[in-house]
Amino acid sequence: MSNQHPELFRRHKLNPILSAADWPYPINSVFNPGATMLPDGTTLLLCRVECRRGLSHFSVARSVHGVSDWQIDPQPTLLPEPDKFPEELWGIEDPRITFVPELSKYAVVYTAYTRDGPGVALAFTEDFRSFERYGVIMPPENKDAALLPHRIGGNWALIHRPVSGPRAHMWISYSPDLRHWGSHKLMMESRRGSWWDANKIGLSPPPIETPHGWLVIYHGVKHTAAGCIYRLGLALFDLRRPERCIKRADEWVFGPEEPYEQHGDVGNVVFPCGYTIAPDGDTINLYYGAADTSIGLATASLGELMDWLGRSS
Ligand code: BMA
């Protein structure tokens, strides 16, 4: 018997769909991509690329069907700019993309690796060629952040994951102008003890807006004597008050099972930062980093995820 829910997320048979060997220039690894579907139906991945100095930048990969035949930018798309943005000293990581209709722009929320640890940075783009940086909007130590696509009660909303002490939980904060953030609220706590999501959780891709609430795919980190295991769980939050959790499943729905997920620079990690929804409105294509080394694709039905979450304890 599998210890997971293969009926919920199905791995693509071509996995891993992108790895260092596909890159047009020498790199160490490519993983944890943000994702979006462009208006013409093209899938765009904003990939975290680790160079052979160990620092990360972003590269765009485009594909008509979102599986193969990727057109990868010949040079890095977005490099850390520590001269202008000293917070990006040790690289930029784990981008989450949200299209914001009010601004007709894509928000890219990412980790800036500062001298004092990871912080949350924001940039906007219309074309994934030029980017307008807002700098760090949540100081260290904080990461795993994404912007909601529209205002909630007049304010923008950002989910993020500050670290305080040995435990780390998901928080949500609000802003009138995308620069000044306040009204901080605890959104979901990590559990304790030997749970799969004990002590440290974080948002994975941006939340999925459904008629029943914000569907959140989050990661839990289990510390074991053999190292950490990163797995994914589901929770649903109120549309109008997203800090209010409506439902949280006890069991994880996706975890490292395949060799390319269990072995790599950091083994036993599945880490999605983005998804696309197919034109049927139901199929979710989840793009995830596998073992901090390559990119995998898993698909699920949104309806099935919601049903399963509704039935779960
Ligand atoms: C997390 C993030 C991810 C990474 C994961 C496993 O804390 O930094 O970028 O994939 O650890 O190393």
Side-chain angles (χ1 to χ4, degrees):
M1 191 180 98
S2 168
N3 63 344
Q4 302 190 18
H5 297 278
E7 74 279 11
L8 287 181
F9 282 94
R10 287 167 288 271
R11 289 171 175 81
H12 200 280
K13 59 181 189 306
L14 293 179
N15 273 358
I17 57 163
L18 280 168
S19 57
D22 300 312
W23 240 245
Y25 52 94
I27 62 169
N28 173 56
S29 50
V30 52
F31 53 110
N32 300 6
T36 194
M37 193 175 277
L38 299 176
D40 68 357
T42 302
T43 297
L44 180 145
L45 299 185
L46 189 61
C47 305
R48 171 177 171 188
V49 172
E50 192 180 287
C51 73
R52 296 171 70 105
R53 293 175 302 150
L55 310 186
S56 292
H57 62 266
F58 300 152
S59 264
V60 163
R62 292 177 173 82
S63 160
V64 174
H65 301 295
V67 175
S68 56
D69 300 317
W70 294 95
Q71 303 294 315
I72 302 167
D73 281 1
Q75 301 292 332
T77 309
L78 190 68
L79 282 165
E81 272 184 39
D83 290 345
K84 283 197 222 145
F85 299 90
E87 309 81 31
E88 298 181 352
L89 178 68
W90 287 322
I92 52 177
E93 307 180 348
D94 302 353
R96 271 87 168 183
I97 300 169
T98 302
F99 181 69
V100 182
E102 183 184 326
L103 306 173
S104 301
K105 286 179 187 165
Y106 298 89
V108 181
V109 176
Y110 58 96
T111 301
Y113 200 153
T114 80
R115 199 182 286 281
D116 295 304
V120 174
L122 169 67
F124 282 96
T125 184
E126 289 175 45
D127 55 8
F128 292 93
R129 292 194 171 84
S130 64
F131 294 81
E132 185 194 354
R133 279 163 156 103
Y134 278 45
V136 163
I137 53 170
M138 290 287 165
E141 183 175 342
N142 204 322
K143 56 162 68 172
D144 299 329
L147 187 71
L148 298 195
H150 54 76
R151 297 171 194 257
I152 307 284
N155 286 312
W156 301 101
L158 183 88
I159 300 172
H160 56 106
R161 205 286 304 277
V163 174
S164 44
R167 298 177 73 222
H169 315 303
M170 284 168 54
W171 286 69
I172 188 163
S173 301
Y174 294 90
S175 170
D177 59 3
L178 294 160
R179 293 190 186 271
H180 303 91
W181 294 88
S183 304
H184 312 291
K185 300 215 164 52
L186 180 62
M187 195 175 170
M188 192 164 75
E189 267 191 72
S190 56
R191 288 186 249 225
R192 309 190 84 140
S194 64
W195 279 84
W196 70 272
D197 55 354
N199 301 321
K200 196 171 164 192
I201 59 170
L203 180 72
S204 276
I208 305 166
E209 192 168 11
T210 77
H212 308 288
W214 298 99
L215 178 63
V216 162
I217 302 175
Y218 72 99
H219 59 269
V221 187
K222 177 160 171 128
H223 290 260
T224 78
C228 293
I229 309 175
Y230 280 72
R231 301 187 182 101
L232 304 178
L234 299 181
L236 191 69
F237 294 84
D238 191 275
L239 283 177
R240 294 215 179 103
R241 283 181 47 219
E243 57 271 14
R244 195 175 81 81
C245 185
I246 299 169
K247 190 81 197 261
R248 177 183 189 173
D250 283 347
E251 297 183 356
W252 71 80
V253 290
F254 193 69
E257 232 183 31
E258 295 293 328
Y260 56 89
E261 299 161 352
Q262 292 175 329
H263 306 286
D265 276 5
V266 185
N268 287 320
V269 176
V270 288
F271 202 96
C273 290
Y275 62 84
T276 60
I277 305 279
D280 65 10
D282 182 64
T283 305
I284 160 164
N285 300 307
L286 190 68
Y287 293 93
Y288 63 97
D292 284 10
T293 297
S294 60
I295 293 177
L297 166 61
T299 57
S301 150
L302 209 42
E304 282 177 27
L305 295 183
M306 293 295 288
D307 286 350
W308 180 84
L309 182 57
R311 288 196 313 272
S312 69
S313 52

